[in-house]
Amino acid sequence: MAAINLYNRYMLKTYGERVQKIAVDGGFTCPNRDGSRGVGGCTFCNNDSYGTKNKMPEVNDQILAGKLFYENKFPGLNKFIVYFQSYSNTYKPIAELEKMYTDALKVEGVIGLAIGTRPDCIDKEKISMLEEMAKSYDITIEYGIESLIDSTLVKINRGHTVREFEQAISMTYGRGIKMCTHLILGFPWETEADIDYTAKTMATYPLDFIKIHQLQVVTDTIMGNEYKKSPFPVVTKEEYFHMLAKIITHLSPELVVQRMFSQYQKEYLLSPPWSETLSQLNSEFINFLDKRELYQGMHFKK
């Protein structure tokens, strides 16, 4: 049996062929940037360091450019999911959202959407809209939580609570919309007990997908500026492997793991100075699990 239920295998099994995500920028912001929940954004966040580099103003132009790039890279590719990635992609009036999403779904070869957002940027009306789309398309909403420790959410200026995350999940569950969440491991103040709690609690949510990655300190962020003034311990690779293993072994074996590591562009990254590629890190971690006879779901309790 595979140690981890990985996304690429899931998609190949579901569709019988490669499905490519095309990341787009819909011109959104976040409520912890515009003053409605706070200012400055998340202390760790620099969207330029990982967001789409396609600066075309129209989303559908970005999709067409992305299609052309991937069709040249992977001949025969004909299925795409449009990934609304940068900032909070449900944080606009519903009429604007519906037009943007509908226009994206009309592009030839697009079979669905992945919509990255925050749990405080969703409501019943928006869920109903996505539910209707999910009757014909592959629709995933990605709720960033980053930590299940409320004191951490305050420290990183998220501007919402774990309870709001749980309310968003409850609102979405059973509506035909797939759910994903984002989790960051390695905040220097979080304890082993916090990781234990996170592993056991995350396993109780009715999610379809999860994205996990190590804390990275990048330039032009509040956290990055603090680090430059007074460097603080950043998680080592060995420490992260142990944290990640704890999360993975508690997750349901049915939950699909979309990501286990992140890799910011080197010109932005302050720490940790890991040199491995994402593929190398994934392989190293799977070997780490295999040597210890660990696998996804071994500690999962229904």
Side-chain angles (χ1 to χ4, degrees):
M1 87 183 264
I4 306 172
N5 187 19
L6 293 173
Y7 183 68
N8 58 349
R9 295 178 194 148
Y10 161 81
M11 292 300 281
L12 187 60
K13 182 178 179 181
T14 301
Y15 288 103
E17 60 185 291
R18 183 186 182 94
V19 179
Q20 181 64 49
K21 282 186 178 177
I22 299 174
V24 297
D25 185 339
F28 292 84
T29 185
C30 297
N32 64 344
R33 287 179 176 270
D34 67 6
S36 65
R37 286 286 182 116
V39 293
C42 300
T43 63
F44 59 84
C45 181
N46 178 343
N47 262 269
D48 288 338
S49 64
Y50 67 85
T52 174
K53 301 302 177 286
N54 192 330
K55 298 305 181 183
M56 295 177 180
E58 297 297 327
V59 167
N60 278 31
D61 289 339
Q62 296 176 44
I63 297 170
L64 293 172
K67 277 187 63 181
L68 182 61
F69 173 82
Y70 287 116
E71 285 167 349
N72 289 332
K73 187 174 182 179
F74 304 109
L77 182 68
N78 57 26
K79 285 186 172 63
F80 303 90
I81 288 178
V82 176
Y83 180 24
F84 286 89
Q85 180 182 27
S86 300
Y87 301 104
S88 300
N89 294 270
T90 58
Y91 192 44
K92 283 186 178 182
I94 190 167
E96 292 183 41
L97 295 176
E98 187 166 18
K99 184 180 187 310
M100 187 181 297
Y101 299 160
T102 300
D103 286 349
L105 290 169
K106 289 178 181 177
V107 176
E108 184 179 0
V110 171
I111 63 168
L113 308 175
I115 302 166
T117 192
R118 295 160 49 99
D120 57 339
C121 293
I122 201 71
D123 55 42
K124 291 180 180 179
E125 191 178 14
K126 291 173 183 175
I127 289 295
S128 294
M129 174 191 64
L130 294 176
E131 179 182 27
E132 191 63 29
M133 292 179 179
K135 293 176 181 177
S136 303
Y137 296 95
D138 188 326
I139 305 295
T140 298
I141 191 162
E142 301 186 356
Y143 291 125
I145 182 63
E146 317 313 345
S147 174
L148 292 182
I149 310 300
D150 271 318
S151 59
T152 291
L153 298 184
V154 173
K155 283 178 182 286
I156 63 176
N157 195 38
R158 281 296 290 180
H160 66 73
T161 64
V162 174
R163 178 60 183 151
E164 286 174 289
F165 171 68
E166 294 172 341
Q167 289 170 338
I169 289 176
S170 296
M171 193 186 308
T172 311
Y173 180 67
R175 306 292 291 272
I177 305 161
K178 296 174 183 175
M179 282 190 287
C180 179
T181 195
H182 301 180
L183 182 66
I184 296 175
L185 301 178
F187 291 112
W189 54 81
E190 288 194 351
T191 65
E192 187 173 347
D194 291 332
I195 300 300
D196 288 340
Y197 172 80
T198 297
K200 293 172 184 176
T201 305
M202 187 62 74
T204 67
Y205 299 129
L207 300 166
D208 301 281
F209 309 118
I210 190 168
K211 291 180 176 180
I212 313 169
H213 68 82
Q214 75 278 19
L215 176 67
Q216 295 174 95
V217 183
V218 296
T219 59
D220 300 324
T221 63
I222 297 170
M223 186 177 288
N225 292 336
E226 292 172 350
Y227 183 84
K228 286 179 178 179
K229 292 177 182 177
S230 180
F232 49 82
V234 180
V235 65
T236 67
K237 188 168 66 172
E238 185 72 12
E239 289 170 338
Y240 181 72
F241 278 16
H242 282 281
M243 293 178 188
L244 182 57
K246 188 161 289 187
I247 302 296
I248 292 292
T249 55
H250 279 83
L251 295 177
S252 164
E254 303 301 317
L255 184 66
V256 178
V257 179
Q258 287 201 20
R259 182 180 67 199
M260 299 184 292
F261 300 90
S262 179
Q263 192 176 52
Y264 287 111
Q265 296 180 58
K266 290 182 180 179
E267 61 264 34
Y268 292 100
L269 185 63
L270 297 173
S271 188
W274 301 356
S275 59
E276 296 86 351
T277 65
L278 292 178
S279 178
Q280 289 170 334
L281 288 168
N282 284 332
S283 295
E284 283 187 34
F285 179 64
I286 289 172
N287 288 335
F288 175 92
L289 294 181
D290 288 344
K291 287 180 181 179
R292 292 159 180 78
E293 298 183 345
L294 302 175
Y295 55 89
Q296 182 177 338
M298 66 182 296
H299 299 313
F300 175 69
K301 296 179 181 179
K302 292 185 178 180

